[in-house]
Amino acid sequence: MSAIHVTTKINGDVVDYVCEADETLLDVLRNRLGLTGAKEGCSTGDCGACSVTIDGRLTCSCLVLGVEAEGCEIDTIEGMADGEALHPLQRKFLEHAALQCGICTPGILVAAKALLDTNPEPTETEVRFGLAGNLCRCTGYDKIVRAVMDAAQEMRRA
Amino acid sequence: MKEAAALLAKEKGSAFVLAGGTDLLVRLRTGFIEPDLLVDIKRIAATRSIQVTPGGFRIGAAVTGAELGEHAKLKKAWPGVVESANLIGSKQVQGRCTMVGNLCNASPAADSVPALVAAGAKVVIVGPKGKRTVPVEQVPVAPGRTSLKKGEIIESILLPKRLSRSGDAYLRFIPRTEMDIAVVGVAASVTLDAKGVCIDARVALGAVAPTVLLVPDAAKALIGTRMDDKALDALAAACSAACRPIDDKRGTREFRIKVAGVLARRAAQIARKRAGGR
Ligand SMILES: Cc1cc2nc3c(=O)[nH]c(=O)nc-3n(C[C@H](O)[C@H](O)[C@H](O)COP(=O)(O)OP(=O)(O)OC[C@H]3O[C@@H](n4cnc5c(N)ncnc54)[C@H](O)[C@@H]3O)c2cc1C
Ligand code: FES
Ligand code: FES
């Protein structure tokens, strides 16, 4: 398989890259573009550590080929904060200590933002279902769920 | 679509259609397959839309689970089909996965397949020799194998027009509450008359045989009845009798046979309620 040229928009900026036909978007982001926020946990779609959105849809970037992103808009954890100002979800994760080792955190933040974008007032059950594709080995999830609920409340008031 | 089919037909090595990639990429990453050619069908317009047609619905092969769940008309007409497709994986997987991928991956436990079979769905296949339309249950032939020939691509799924007083439902048993593979899956679709008597039914089982099973005896148990306890007992017995399951760590043979009957009863009751019956 030969290298293919791809043009995308990542976090609002036009980005061109060249990748192999069988290379995943996760590998492109991490190894070619230096965007190492998305993590590789399982590479089989189970853990959600590699979560990004493609044209607004939450996706595991380990299950997408780099070439499939041609013409798409991709948002990653790197685009979540506004300069130095953290996104409310990021702040609430710190306040609630919703992370320990942190490997799951970027993926969970991306998934939580995607959830709140479509459902600004989720119930606890909806948060748990919405994040069912993101595994965390450390926190036991409760603090994560509380941080998301709290951030949602703050964002509704804003 | 024809060009895509021609590309696949021409390739001498191993060639695959790529839809959502949620099965294919896993197999690629784990080294199960080393394709010489992947043909991504998502950019072909015909695969991307859900159309309401005089005959019912035409669902493009690359329509994702998330998009099915957002289509109000489809959800109203075929709630069981949509709920089965929405059970596939997480939010992340929903954003990519397709019912046609679920069907062509040919896992005996594929969640959307029993619901499509109960609905009487057909697929439109495009290939080097033109188009053909076949019932969904004729696509999988064994675990991991389909009846599609080299160069053939499924272009769309056709769901029939919904008669009034009809309803469908899909239930699966899994050890967890989310993100798991069905140990048993049951889909039922029924139509009632004005008096609440069942005049048409289709019942299909997943994960209890090498391929999805359409169970005519289960349908017979319901047709002509008011779907009372006696009819539901006969339905459960017919479903259990049809099972040819495997025995594994996820569920023993006996367990699967029993659960198939229990779930069939519950799925039929939900379908009846959705059809406006008691
Ligand atoms: C984390 C995770 C959880 C999952 N959970 C579930 C679950 O709960 N239930 C379940 O049933 N499945 C589950 N799956 C499996 C998978 O997501 C589904 O089978 C899905 O529907 C596959 O669709 P796809 O579009 O991604 O298929 P792809 O991976 O694109 O394709 C699958 C197969 O079908 C072929 N194919 C695809 N489209 C066509 C076409 N139009 N014509 C001809 N051949 C075609 C491909 O060549 C390939 O062999 C899960 C997968 C993951 C990664
Ligand atoms: S690395 Fe993609 S889901 Fe685990
Ligand atoms: S904080 Fe360690 S996996 Fe979630």
Side-chain angles (χ1 to χ4, degrees), chain A residues 51-74:
Chain A
S51 296
V52 301
T53 62
I54 301 180
D55 293 334
R57 291 251 185 230
L58 185 64
T59 328
C60 293
S61 60
C62 72
L63 292 187
V64 178
L65 295 172
V67 294
E68 288 182 80
E70 171 65 39
C72 295
E73 293 194 13
I74 299 163

Side-chain angles (χ1 to χ4, degrees), chain A residues 45, chain B residues 17 19-24 27 89 98 100 102 104 110-111 154 172 180:
Chain B
V17 175
T22 60
D23 279 316
L24 208 59
R27 288 204 287 152
T98 66
V100 173
N102 199 216
C104 293
D111 278 309
I154 294 181
R172 69 173 180 182
D180 210 340

Side-chain angles (χ1 to χ4, degrees), chain A residues 26 39-51 60-63 133:
Chain A
L26 176 62
K39 305 288 183 234
E40 178 158 27
C42 62
S43 76
T44 52
D46 292 295
C47 77
C50 63
S51 296
C60 293
S61 60
C62 72
L63 292 187

